[in-house]
Amino acid sequence: MNRKFKISTGEELIQFMETEKLNSKEICHILKEAFILFADETKPPEILIQEFKEYWEQFKNTKERGIFLGLDLDVKKPPEQD
């Protein structure tokens, strides 16, 4: 992807991702470059777009945002062995 484009808001980015029919790798690249936001390239594009919509709705007006999109980072302690 070597095209240049100007996007000013998260809403514009969502519209761009939906209309340009980007693949998962392209979506993850854009999110990483634009937001320093890491996502799972193995997820289908429509899931990544939905997860970004939810992310943007939650964080759009805050300066501190998460850096992982749709990833469950809850580390669970393994059960103790007797």
Side-chain angles (χ1 to χ4, degrees):
M1 178 178 4
N2 290 326
R3 297 179 6 220
K4 290 187 179 189
F5 47 90
K6 182 177 178 181
I7 294 176
S8 300
T9 68
E11 289 82 9
E12 288 178 2
L13 178 57
I14 291 166
Q15 182 179 13
F16 176 80
M17 290 189 295
E18 289 177 330
T19 58
E20 292 297 312
K21 304 294 183 202
L22 303 173
N23 65 39
S24 297
K25 187 175 181 177
E26 292 169 327
I27 290 171
C28 289
H29 177 76
I30 290 169
L31 293 175
K32 183 180 170 205
E33 293 295 314
F35 288 92
I36 310 172
L37 180 60
F38 299 92
D40 182 356
E41 286 183 7
T42 64
K43 291 183 178 180
E46 56 275 359
I47 298 295
L48 291 170
I49 293 169
Q50 182 58 41
E51 288 177 349
F52 181 71
K53 284 179 181 179
E54 293 167 7
Y55 172 92
W56 188 248
E57 193 60 37
Q58 180 179 0
F59 293 114
K60 67 180 166 188
N61 293 319
T62 62
K63 294 200 183 288
E64 294 183 17
R65 300 180 179 135
I67 62 169
F68 297 101
L69 181 68
L71 301 177
D72 182 8
L73 298 178
D74 264 347
V75 177
K76 294 185 172 62
K77 184 177 175 183
E80 304 237 356
Q81 303 213 354
D82 295 323

